[in-house]
Amino acid sequence: MDYLKIEKSDNLHGNIDISGAKNSALPLIAATILSKSDVILENIPNVVDVKVLIKLLMMLGADSKIISENIVSINTRNISNTQVVYDMVRKMRASILLLGPLLARFGKCQVSLPGGCAIGARPVDLHIKAMSNMGADISIINGYINAIAPKGLRGSDIIFDKITVTGTENVIMAAALAKGTTTIINPAKEPEIVQLCDVLKQAGVEISGQGTNEIVIVGSDGELLNFSNISIIPDRIEAGTYLCAGAITNSSITINNVIPKHLEAITNKLKEIGFDIEIDSNSITILKARELNAFEITTSEYPGFPTDMQAQFMALATQCNGVSTIKERLFENRFMHVNELQRLGANISLLGNVANINGRTDLIGADVMATDLRASSALILAALIANGQTKIHRIYHLDRGYEKIEQKLSSIGVKIQRLKGDSV
Ligand code: UD1
C-alpha cells in the first residue's frame, strides 16, 4: 500500500492552482442521468471519488469519454440497470446521489444503504423520507432501498428537519423531472448546491431560491433535460487546506482559481489567528503572521465554518499560542485524527464533541495513519512542521479528494514522496 514520506518543510513559497470541487462534481455527474444527450463536464477533478461515480454510471449502462485530463463527456442514454450495488456504495457514500435522479427518470431503483463510516453513523433517512413525500413507495430489503414510483414523482413540500447537503441535492434532482412544483424548506446552502441548481436551470428547469432557506423547483414532468457544457466550481476545501499549509508553516503562498466568497469562513478565521490575507478576484494570498493566536471554531453548515476543514485547523491549532477550542456539530465521530496528531506530540484533550488544543507545541515526526479524507490532510499539515520525518499510511483516503497532492505540495517547497510498501 502506498504511503507518504514528508520531511519537515517549514519555509514554503509560491502558487498552487486549485482543482474543481469534488463535492460539486459528484452531484453533477449524478445529474447527467436527467439529460437527453451527452453532457460535457469541464474542470473535473481527477480524484478517486469522481472515478468511482463515473464507473458506477457505466455499470448501469452509461458511456463516458475522457476528452482531456480534466474534461469528461457522459452519456446516460443507454442506462438499463437501476441497481446501485453495495460494493460501490461501500467505496463511496456519495453514491446515494443516484437515488433521486434514477427514481425520477426510471420510476424505480434499488440503492444499497451506505451504513456507517469513520466519521459517524451518517443515516440517509432524510433522503428516503423526501422521496416518499414525492410519491415513491419505499421499502428496505436486504440492505437495499427499493424505491418505486410507477407514475413518476410528484412535486411536494419537503421540510428538512436537519440540513443535509446530499439530501438536498437528491431532492433537487428528483424534483427537476417530477410533475409539479417542489418547495424545499431548510435546504443546504453550500456553493455546490447553488451550482447544481444553476446547471439545471440552464438545462431548462425553473428553479429559484438556491443559496437561501427555500428552493422552489418546477419539474419537467418526465421530460429529459438539455444540458450545456458545465465547468465545475473550484474546490473550496482543497483551497482551504493549502491556505492552512501556508498558515501552519507561517509562510506566504498564493492559491489561484478560487472563488474567494466561498472561502470567507476560512479566511476570516485565518485573519483572527493573525494572518494577513490578500484577496483578489480569483486568488488568495496568505502572508506571514507576527504571532499565531489561539482560536475557537464551531463547525456548521454553509456559510458557517465547514466540518471538512475542522481537522486541518486542529493541526494548525498546535502552532497557535494558548488553548484553541474546536466544537464538531455535524458528525459525532469526526475526531479520529486526534490520536494521530497526539502521536506527533500534539497536546489535545477531548470531551464529547469538543477538542481543546493546547499550543504551541513542537511536533516530532512519526508513523501515522490516515482515517478519513480530511483527517489525512491534517496529518500532512502537521508533518510539514514536525521535526524529522513523518510517514502517513492509508493514503487511499487522500486520493479520494485531493488531485495531484504531491505535485502541488512539492511546487511550494514541501519535501514529500509517495512510496510503496511499508503499509500499516
Ligand atoms: C456532504 C459532503 C461532506 C460534508 C458534509 C457536511 C458531499 C459528497 N459530501 O456530506 O463532504 O462533510 O456534507 O458538510 O457533498 N443526516 C441525517 N439523515 C440524513 C442525512 C444526513 O441525520 O438522511 C445528518 C448526518 O448524519 C450529519 C448531518 O445530517 O450529521 C449533515 O450530513 P449531510 O449534510 O447529509 O452530509 P453529506 O451530504 O453526507
Side-chain angles (χ1 to χ4, degrees), residues 259-276:
I259 300 176
K261 175 103 193 102
H262 295 171
L263 281 140
E264 261 174 10
I266 297 163
T267 46
N268 285 344
K269 196 52 71 178
L270 290 170
K271 283 183 198 163
E272 205 183 299
I273 293 171
F275 294 98
D276 278 331

Side-chain angles (χ1 to χ4, degrees), residues 15-242:
N15 297 269
I16 289 183
D17 289 337
I18 299 305
S19 299
K22 165 182 88 70
N23 286 356
S24 205
L26 295 174
L28 290 168
I29 291 167
T32 63
I33 293 174
L34 310 174
S35 173
K36 235 179 227 162
S37 51
D38 290 22
V39 182
I40 295 183
L41 295 148
E42 297 168 0
N43 199 33
I44 195 148
N46 191 1
V47 294
V48 170
D49 273 9
V50 161
K51 289 186 206 158
V52 167
L53 194 59
I54 294 177
K55 183 167 172 212
L56 223 171
L57 277 186
M58 293 174 77
M59 283 167 71
L60 302 181
D63 290 320
S64 88
K65 208 164 53 203
I66 296 171
I67 295 177
S68 69
E69 197 185 0
N70 298 105
I71 305 181
V72 172
S73 161
I74 300 178
N75 188 309
T76 60
R77 196 172 27 236
N78 295 327
I79 285 187
S80 49
N81 175 2
T82 55
Q83 189 186 44
V84 181
V85 295
Y86 174 67
D87 205 38
M88 299 305 275
V89 180
R90 185 177 59 83
K91 282 198 184 111
M92 190 187 54
R93 298 182 46 83
S95 317
I96 190 71
L97 281 168
L98 300 182
L99 176 67
L102 281 177
L103 188 56
R105 174 163 155 197
F106 298 99
K108 61 168 189 173
C109 66
Q110 286 179 297
V111 180
S112 172
L113 279 169
C117 72
I119 63 173
R122 297 184 84 174
V124 289
D125 56 315
L126 300 173
H127 301 236
I128 295 174
K129 200 168 142 203
M131 293 305 125
S132 99
N133 278 348
M134 295 179 76
D137 227 337
I138 299 203
S139 51
I140 308 289
I141 303 170
N142 297 335
Y144 278 80
I145 306 165
N146 284 280
I148 335 172
K151 293 193 195 127
L153 294 173
R154 56 164 194 269
S156 76
D157 287 354
I158 305 293
I159 305 170
F160 280 121
D161 299 339
K162 210 181 213 181
I163 297 180
T164 159
V165 175
T166 47
T168 302
E169 288 162 350
N170 252 330
V171 174
I172 292 167
M173 291 186 279
L177 291 203
K179 186 181 173 71
T181 302
T182 297
T183 303
I184 313 177
I185 296 150
N186 201 27
K189 302 191 198 77
E190 269 64 4
E192 295 76 23
I193 300 274
V194 174
Q195 174 159 52
L196 175 64
C197 290
D198 289 348
V199 163
L200 292 174
K201 197 167 170 174
Q202 263 202 331
V205 184
E206 219 179 285
I207 300 190
S208 58
Q210 56 273 37
T212 75
N213 291 328
E214 193 172 302
I215 304 178
V216 180
I217 304 145
V218 182
S220 69
D221 196 7
E223 197 181 317
L224 293 178
L225 311 174
N226 268 314
F227 284 72
S228 316
N229 287 12
I230 301 167
S231 179
I232 312 281
I233 56 170
D235 195 313
R236 61 199 165 94
I237 305 300
E238 189 202 16
T241 303
Y242 289 122

Side-chain angles (χ1 to χ4, degrees), residues 13 59 139 163 169 269 284 291 353 378 397 405 421:
H13 49 85
M59 283 167 71
S139 51
I163 297 180
E169 288 162 350
K269 196 52 71 178
I284 300 177
E291 197 181 343
N353 66 340
H397 291 292
I405 188 155

